[in-house]
Amino acid sequence: MGQPAEVQKAVCQYRDGLNALDADIAVAAFASNAVIRYPGMEPTDREGFRRYLEQVKSVLSAFHIDFKEMFPTEHGVAARWSCEATTKAGRTVRCEGIDSWIVGPAGTVQAMDVYYDPTPLQEALQG
């Protein structure tokens, strides 16, 4: 596991990229061989996750995720979060969940597991 400052830097870079609706910033926090497990998707790699984020970004006008609590884990960190997204059609949705990241020695995310009910977001995106 990377040092605590490296762990926090990687996780905050991911969060900041999401908040800016910038997939490049978000996925730059991940190692090239990272594994991302996200509800409603098969496990994917960094580039598959980038494509997913770009697809979501194309229908959102705003997104904000807030880490409510962060917890150290054996190999990284986990965070309880809440988010609010607004679609380009003007629908707003709120979600809460937990993410868990494994951060490697290079300070990049090796694995991310996301736990939340994606139904409200999916419904808002389908409109």
Side-chain angles (χ1 to χ4, degrees):
M1 172 179 83
Q3 297 299 315
E6 293 170 322
V7 170
Q8 184 147 347
K9 181 180 177 188
V11 169
C12 289
Q13 178 180 346
Y14 165 70
R15 179 204 58 209
D16 294 347
L18 293 180
N19 285 339
L21 290 174
D22 189 322
D24 290 335
I25 291 172
V27 300
F30 292 83
S32 60
N33 62 344
V35 176
I36 294 107
R37 288 175 284 276
Y38 207 84
M41 294 173 41
E42 292 294 320
T44 191
D45 60 12
R46 182 172 73 175
E47 293 311 309
F49 192 55
R50 177 194 310 272
R51 287 189 298 275
Y52 169 76
L53 292 176
E54 290 291 346
Q55 180 183 13
V56 171
K57 173 186 166 181
S58 73
V59 296
L60 292 180
S61 62
F63 182 88
H64 185 78
I65 187 167
D66 221 4
F67 292 166
K68 301 298 185 186
E69 295 178 82
M70 294 182 78
F71 307 93
T73 64
E74 183 178 357
H75 300 290
V77 66
R80 185 176 64 83
W81 53 262
S82 64
C83 75
E84 181 174 294
T86 304
T87 68
K88 290 181 178 175
R91 288 182 295 280
T92 299
V93 63
R94 291 171 188 80
C95 299
E96 292 186 346
I98 296 173
D99 288 1
S100 177
W101 301 271
I102 295 174
V103 178
T108 55
V109 176
Q110 301 293 305
M112 178 177 75
D113 290 284
V114 178
Y115 305 95
Y116 84 111
D117 178 3
T119 306
L121 182 59
Q122 290 170 342
E123 289 173 352
L125 295 176
Q126 293 171 1

